[in-house]
Amino acid sequence: MPDLPDGAEGFIQDESEGPMGGGKPFKRILGKIYIMEGDEYITDDDPKGDTKIDINGNLLGGRRFKAQTFVLPNRHPERKYMLAIDAARTSGFRDSLYYFRRNPLALKLNATQWEKEYLIEQGKLGSHLKTRSVTLVTARSAYKLHGAKMLLDGRWVVDDYYEDKVLEEITAKGLRPGDLVGELQDPNAMNEVAALAGGASNAAQSSKNERSGGGFGMYRAGGPTTIFGGSGWGPYSDGPLNAVRKSYLTREGVNEENWMYVAAERTIEATCDWAKLRRENLKLAGGIYGDLLGAEQDAGRVEKRAASEALQDDSSRKRRALESDLPLGIYEPQTGIVFYRSDTQPTRARWEALPDSQEKRRVLGGTKAGGGGWGLAWVDTVMEVPPEREDPWASDRERYKDLLNVPSS
């Protein structure tokens, strides 16, 4: 078996299967050997495609990427790179994991700590990703893979690198060269939705499930975290990076006409769920007298068997009276405190010392001064209810009360 060439990474194959690495790193992909050079796999060039992008990843002819590109001076002074997550989303994939799975010819580059800090300083990367794993791809390799999909107002064939290949693909789909690419759909997400939904009939049925609380909904796992854009715009006004979000919503039966209605419905449902949860958690005195009330209820049942109807009514009235005196609250077991609604609590408190009485009274305590001085204080707690505000329209309503009570003919 021949030896590996110096500097090569991989395994030996017969010369008839393809070229060797030639002293450079290489990898077998789909049965073919690809050499790694310039942070990308060396793939076939196309003369027409080379008129649309140069060797460093700069677009030509006024074309623009949807995603931002940048230069890493430690790798190359002019070569353009982009974040893998941006390359994925602008190509119709939900994240970089599926992007690299479906595109083995995209060479995955891991950003170093210095590169992440540099991109943060340049405003190309969020500071929250400083300690996270960040992957990159070269702009040229990403464009060669997906062409017009990655461009603003991209058009089929006209803006693709491999024109002949794309022309054959879109012709089978009934598209024409020069048509706008439009919104993209994640092929992996479509397969997963079909598998999980068990072959849901159509988008209308999905929308029906959404309104009834079933199905995946607008906030299903793996989908957009919110239907609104980062600036507060709607889901169909979020600029060039809204392709994946819109494809999710479209599959769920949400469109430009009904998305506000569906969002309002979901808000109402969430409000009802939270209100129901709060009502269920509220108990008499926080539930600390639960056993007592239960015992009284059992005693009332025994009395119903042995006592007269009068005694039954009396027991019921006593229990209702006891329940009416106990406020509704939530017991917090860590502190042993019962919490009540804030609108039932006082807003201010004050201490008032009453003058001493003229009559001498016996006081339980120690000496009047010194280390043995102690005593018990009697503290009364009094709640003052603010006076009710007068209704300025009460007299006018009283004056026209007869007119308001006239039955309609």
Side-chain angles (χ1 to χ4, degrees), residues 46-54 140 143 160-163:
D46 186 277
K48 297 180 181 178
D50 289 337
T51 62
K52 305 171 187 179
I53 189 170
D54 64 15
R140 178 178 172 84
Y143 176 72
D160 284 297
Y161 186 84
Y162 297 107
E163 292 188 0

Side-chain angles (χ1 to χ4, degrees), residues 40 53 56-59 65 68-70 79-82 137-145 150:
E40 62 185 28
I53 189 170
N56 292 320
N58 297 300
L59 289 173
F65 283 114
Q68 60 181 353
T69 59
F70 45 83
R79 185 184 301 129
K80 293 293 184 66
Y81 296 84
M82 66 174 58
V137 292
T138 62
R140 178 178 172 84
S141 64
Y143 176 72
K144 292 176 74 173
L145 289 171
M150 305 187 65

Side-chain angles (χ1 to χ4, degrees), residues 72 74-75 109-121 125-136:
L72 296 174
N74 63 314
R75 291 181 180 264
L109 306 172
N110 292 313
T112 64
Q113 187 62 35
W114 182 91
E115 291 171 343
K116 289 187 288 186
E117 294 176 358
Y118 173 79
L119 293 176
I120 292 173
E121 292 177 359
L125 186 67
S127 58
H128 64 285
L129 296 174
K130 184 176 182 179
T131 57
R132 303 283 295 274
S133 176
V134 177
T135 53
L136 315 168

Side-chain angles (χ1 to χ4, degrees), residues 56-242:
N56 292 320
N58 297 300
L59 289 173
L60 307 175
R63 297 176 176 87
R64 291 185 300 162
F65 283 114
K66 294 178 181 178
Q68 60 181 353
T69 59
F70 45 83
V71 174
L72 296 174
N74 63 314
R75 291 181 180 264
H76 194 277
E78 298 181 359
R79 185 184 301 129
K80 293 293 184 66
Y81 296 84
M82 66 174 58
L83 298 176
I85 184 62
D86 288 346
R89 288 176 176 172
T90 55
S91 302
F93 297 88
R94 72 170 71 166
D95 53 38
S96 57
L97 176 63
Y98 286 101
Y99 178 77
F100 286 115
R101 282 185 181 178
R102 295 297 300 269
N103 299 279
L105 291 179
L107 181 57
K108 182 178 179 181
L109 306 172
N110 292 313
T112 64
Q113 187 62 35
W114 182 91
E115 291 171 343
K116 289 187 288 186
E117 294 176 358
Y118 173 79
L119 293 176
I120 292 173
E121 292 177 359
Q122 298 296 320
K124 304 294 185 178
L125 186 67
S127 58
H128 64 285
L129 296 174
K130 184 176 182 179
T131 57
R132 303 283 295 274
S133 176
V134 177
T135 53
L136 315 168
V137 292
T138 62
R140 178 178 172 84
S141 64
Y143 176 72
K144 292 176 74 173
L145 289 171
H146 293 286
K149 298 179 182 178
M150 305 187 65
L151 305 186
L152 289 171
D153 299 326
R155 297 180 180 275
W156 294 115
V157 180
V158 177
D159 293 323
D160 284 297
Y161 186 84
Y162 297 107
E163 292 188 0
D164 297 336
K165 177 183 176 181
V166 175
L167 178 60
E168 182 180 352
E169 293 176 354
I170 67 170
T171 302
K173 298 179 181 179
L175 301 174
R176 296 176 300 176
D179 290 346
L180 288 172
V181 173
E183 304 297 342
L184 303 175
Q185 294 184 354
D186 182 356
N188 294 282
M190 295 179 65
N191 295 336
E192 290 183 0
V193 170
L196 293 174
S201 59
N202 47 40
Q205 180 67 26
S206 176
S207 179
K208 179 180 179 181
N209 293 338
E210 170 66 23
R211 291 192 294 270
S212 62
F216 298 106
M218 299 167 68
Y219 304 102
R220 65 179 178 80
T225 56
T226 174
I227 62 172
F228 297 100
S231 59
W233 292 349
Y236 300 96
S237 306
D238 198 22
L241 293 179
N242 70 337

